[in-house]
Amino acid sequence: MTATTTPATEPELRQVGDRVIMRGRLQLTGDGAAYLQMGHWPVLFDLASPIPSSMDESWVEISVVTESVALHPYRT
């Protein structure tokens, strides 16, 4: 997974080749977890390494190899 800041301020989800690209506002929690706010929906991440705290609340694009993406339903 790579995360880079972006000047764009609209959420987006797309696939480019063998990668899934997600754009949204990155949110870091106090316990080291992270999620991407994409419009009304949060996308939770299972992180192998921490994301720098300087990226908290930034608009970012996250690029992930498609084989590393899994969706799990949940209820709110």
Side-chain angles (χ1 to χ4, degrees), residues 13-31:
L13 175 64
R14 69 183 188 278
Q15 184 173 352
V16 177
D18 68 341
R19 302 192 73 81
V20 173
I21 312 295
M22 296 171 276
R23 183 189 313 142
R25 186 169 285 233
L26 184 67
Q27 304 290 320
L28 303 177
T29 65
D31 61 355

Side-chain angles (χ1 to χ4, degrees), residues 20-70:
V20 173
I21 312 295
M22 296 171 276
R23 183 189 313 142
R25 186 169 285 233
L26 184 67
Q27 304 290 320
L28 303 177
T29 65
D31 61 355
Y35 65 94
L36 191 65
Q37 191 67 43
M38 297 181 68
H40 298 290
W41 301 277
V43 176
L44 306 175
F45 291 107
D46 185 11
L47 302 172
S49 59
I51 293 177
S53 61
S54 62
M55 295 182 80
D56 189 27
E57 298 197 20
S58 298
W59 279 89
V60 298
E61 279 195 357
I62 297 194
S63 174
V64 183
V65 176
T66 54
E67 290 83 26
S68 298
V69 176

